[in-house]
Amino acid sequence: MAIIVNLDVMLAIRKMSLTELSNRVGITMANLSILKKGKAKAIRFSTLEAICETLDCQPADILEYKNEILS
Amino acid sequence: METTKKHLSIKVIYWVTNITFWIFVLAAILGFILAGAFMLKIFDKTQLHVGIPVAINILEQGTLELNNSISSVEFVEMYGKIHFIDTDPEIGQVYSLFILAILSIFFYIFFTFRKFINNVYKGVYFEMKNISLLKRISYALVGVWGFTVLYAYFQYFYLLKNVEFSSIEITSDVQTYPVIVLVALFIWVLSHIFMKGCELQEETNYTI
């Protein structure tokens, strides 16, 4: 997929576990795992907002576009 | 699994399907026993009673009294059944083969439909297994249609061509049951709608 989710990178920078993020954001571990593994088909603005607020970052810090044709 | 409140209609369909299925199973067992007995020529006193999918005309005229006037009328394009008074064992064997085949196809359709309804009752709607079940039902219905047409023409050429009555005329109007194909087509289209529903369901499941 061309959109890469860098959630694990941000979690490492903030020294936060997935379980802690799950508790603070209010998203199930299963859903966060889907997001982290890049299996998600869409992300709601409300979810993105909650993650950005918790990790104190910008959406671009979590999501990255990579052109698969060029790479 | 998430439990949702079931609609009354789904409960009714579930119970009606299951009860009808088990009644059909009992009837099918009886049918298999009877057909087997015909095949093995065990029941030599049992007589055949078969429906004829070919229209007949009754040549005898009758009268119709309506509004104080009497009209001459006759029955035409009728469908009925033939009852054998002394069934030839050979004919019994041929028909038992048809009974076995049609019972098997109907059992398969009923069994598949029951599985589909049970999935719906459990709250499993837009999943690949349901799409596969619907497709199987539609293909089996096309099979039923083909078999029914074959049976109708078999009746026409094997039986009715050799029937002789002084007051009835066998027409060549053989029933082809196009409604079965329409039902099969409808279920096939429904399976494609379910496929789209399955895609949407997956998208919803993977929206975080």
Side-chain angles (χ1 to χ4, degrees):
Chain A
M1 202 171 164
I3 300 290
I4 296 163
V5 181
N6 292 322
L7 190 65
D8 46 354
V9 177
M10 276 312 293
L11 282 170
I13 292 167
R14 297 284 183 258
K15 293 187 175 65
M16 196 185 284
S17 69
L18 202 65
T19 317
E20 195 185 341
L21 180 71
S22 166
N23 291 334
R24 286 173 70 175
V25 174
I27 302 171
T28 61
M29 278 292 287
N31 278 347
L32 269 183
S33 180
I34 289 169
L35 190 65
K36 199 181 137 197
K37 285 176 187 167
K39 284 184 180 175
K41 298 225 175 194
I43 182 163
R44 289 189 191 91
F45 278 159
S46 56
T47 310
L48 195 60
E49 190 185 325
I51 292 171
C52 287
E53 196 183 320
T54 309
L55 295 176
D56 188 26
C57 64
Q58 292 299 312
D61 297 327
I62 299 166
L63 303 173
E64 182 192 339
Y65 172 73
K66 194 175 178 184
N67 195 331
E68 284 182 335
I69 301 162
L70 294 175
S71 60
Chain B
M1 186 185 277
E2 193 183 319
T3 51
T4 50
K5 197 171 178 284
K6 290 179 185 74
H7 283 282
L8 181 68
S9 55
I10 288 177
K11 282 183 191 170
V12 170
I13 292 168
Y14 172 79
W15 284 111
V16 167
T17 306
N18 275 280
I19 291 167
T20 317
F21 174 76
W22 288 111
I23 291 170
F24 175 79
V25 167
L26 289 176
I29 290 169
L30 196 69
F32 274 113
I33 292 169
L34 276 172
F38 261 123
M39 289 276 280
L40 301 168
K41 297 179 184 174
I42 295 170
F43 293 163
D44 56 345
K45 297 281 181 212
T46 310
Q47 306 302 336
L48 268 178
H49 191 79
V50 292
I52 47 167
V54 181
I56 58 164
N57 297 332
I58 294 181
L59 303 174
E60 187 188 331
Q61 288 190 344
T63 54
L64 171 72
E65 196 178 335
L66 201 69
N67 297 334
N68 296 325
S69 69
I70 298 171
S71 315
S72 288
V73 288
E74 58 185 6
F75 283 106
V76 291
E77 291 177 20
M78 290 172 61
Y79 294 94
K81 286 178 179 174
I82 285 186
H83 180 74
F84 285 78
I85 293 157
D86 49 348
T87 311
D88 177 15
E90 303 284 317
I91 298 175
Q93 279 184 320
V94 172
Y95 275 92
S96 60
L97 273 176
F98 275 109
I99 293 168
L100 286 173
I102 206 79
L103 275 177
S104 307
I105 302 174
F106 269 110
F107 179 78
Y108 178 74
I109 291 174
F110 232 135
F111 180 73
T112 314
F113 182 69
R114 182 174 160 261
K115 268 168 95 174
F116 172 74
I117 292 295
N118 286 358
N119 282 346
V120 170
Y121 185 74
K122 283 178 204 159
V124 178
Y125 302 100
F126 301 114
E127 295 226 356
M128 281 312 287
K129 54 184 173 186
N130 275 359
I131 296 160
S132 163
L133 289 173
L134 283 175
K135 277 190 176 168
R136 275 195 242 167
I137 292 171
S138 75
Y139 298 149
L141 276 173
V142 173
V144 166
W145 173 76
F147 191 80
T148 314
V149 171
L150 187 80
Y151 177 71
Y153 277 97
F154 166 79
Q155 292 267 65
Y156 179 64
F157 288 109
Y158 179 74
L159 203 73
L160 297 170
K161 279 274 187 185
N162 304 312
V163 165
E164 269 190 39
F165 278 98
S166 56
S167 61
I168 71 161
E169 177 189 64
I170 309 289
T171 68
S172 58
D173 183 10
V174 181
Q175 280 187 304
T176 50
Y177 310 99
V179 72
I180 301 175
V181 184
L182 285 177
V183 172
L185 191 70
F186 176 76
I187 293 173
W188 188 73
V189 169
L190 199 68
S191 77
H192 278 78
I193 293 168
F194 264 67
M195 205 181 275
K196 187 68 194 166
C198 191
E199 281 171 23
L200 292 172
Q201 180 77 64
E202 199 183 278
E203 212 166 280
T204 309
N205 290 344
Y206 285 99
T207 297
I208 312 300

